[in-house]
Amino acid sequence: MTGGNDPRVPASEADQIVKAVRAKGRTAWHLLAADEGHGFAKKANQDYLMWTTLMFWDQNLLK
């Protein structure tokens, strides 16, 4: 998860990590909230993160 307005960790750095992981044939999801900073503070984004995390677990860890 990345906040598009994060002053500490630019979204471009997360993109680089995801690209490197995928280049090794591994699964990587990247959730970007354009209206957040460092961490997800808005309820709608927190809810979306929760459901996306459950989907990731279901697809990649629970089978």
Side-chain angles (χ1 to χ4, degrees):
M1 85 181 187
T2 306
N5 299 321
D6 189 340
R8 293 179 242 175
V9 183
S12 60
E13 289 185 15
D15 291 336
Q16 291 174 11
I17 293 169
V18 170
K19 184 178 179 179
V21 170
R22 289 178 179 163
K24 294 183 180 274
R26 307 300 294 182
T27 300
W29 288 17
H30 180 204
L31 182 60
L32 173 68
D35 60 347
E36 292 281 9
H38 193 77
F40 286 13
K42 297 178 179 161
K43 173 92 167 87
N45 292 334
Q46 291 172 349
D47 291 346
Y48 192 81
L49 172 61
M50 181 195 68
W51 290 112
T52 304
T53 301
L54 292 175
M55 286 175 51
F56 181 85
W57 290 350
D58 183 54
Q59 291 181 16
N60 297 285
L61 302 174
L62 299 176
K63 294 184 181 194

